[in-house]
Amino acid sequence: MNDEHWMRLALAQARGVVNEVPIGAVLVRDGTVLGIGANGPLTHTDPTAHAEIQALRAAARKTGNYRLPGSTLYVTVEPCTMCAGAIVHARVARLVFGAREPRAGAVVSTLEVLDNPGLNHRVEVAEGVLADECAKLVQDFFRARRAVGRDRTV
């Protein structure tokens, strides 16, 4: 199975998000899904309930270990600073994301957190997998929010 296959699974998670920015994540190792996540800070009243964090938490529970070496995290939108830090702490081997996040993306857009020379773990990064589809999902969400005058609530 290739990156597009797993990104489609992450997109399915994002499409299931209700009243939140639609972001999905899937953590895979050796062709097996270890954890999935969908954005949910509002739903869970938890500022850390980003899709990436949800997937990492599920994988840690499933494996019984917060370290997830050899894994790949697929996420529909470029991770923020918090999520990039969690990816490093979990020892995720590879990050694959779809769309860039020009305002809060901390991998290539506003910061390059994963490239910090002080970190003792390196994460391989691939971007742009199904980028147009991932970006459209978020753009459609914000377009709909603006249409009802609620753009600043998220």
Side-chain angles (χ1 to χ4, degrees):
M1 292 183 218
N2 63 19
D3 289 345
E4 283 191 15
H5 169 81
W6 299 115
M7 188 61 74
R8 289 196 189 289
L9 187 54
L11 274 163
Q13 293 303 306
R15 287 187 182 104
V17 172
V18 178
N19 296 324
E20 305 254 10
V21 179
I23 299 172
V26 177
L27 189 82
V28 177
R29 182 167 56 199
D30 299 327
T32 300
V33 174
L34 297 181
I36 58 174
N39 201 35
L42 297 172
T43 301
H44 300 292
T45 317
D46 178 355
T48 69
H50 290 192
E52 301 93 324
I53 301 297
Q54 304 282 42
L56 291 170
R57 286 176 179 159
R61 283 191 300 273
K62 183 173 185 170
T63 63
N65 192 341
Y66 76 101
R67 300 280 197 213
L68 302 162
S71 64
T72 299
L73 180 64
Y74 294 87
V75 61
T76 56
V77 176
E78 178 183 3
C80 70
T81 305
M82 174 185 68
C83 293
I87 289 165
V88 170
H89 285 290
R91 302 298 192 261
V92 170
R94 185 167 177 250
L95 167 68
V96 179
F97 69 89
R100 285 190 177 194
E101 209 309 331
R103 291 173 35 182
V107 178
V108 295
S109 293
T110 64
L111 297 170
E112 295 175 351
V113 171
L114 301 179
D115 292 333
N116 184 323
L119 296 176
N120 62 348
H121 176 70
R122 296 284 167 246
V123 179
E124 178 186 336
V125 176
E127 69 169 290
V129 176
L130 302 177
D132 292 342
E133 202 170 330
C134 294
K136 184 178 183 327
L137 193 58
V138 174
Q139 290 164 352
D140 289 350
F141 169 80
F142 283 110
R143 188 174 297 115
R145 297 290 287 215
R146 284 190 298 275
V148 295
R150 296 173 36 196
D151 185 43
R152 296 288 182 200
T153 60
V154 175

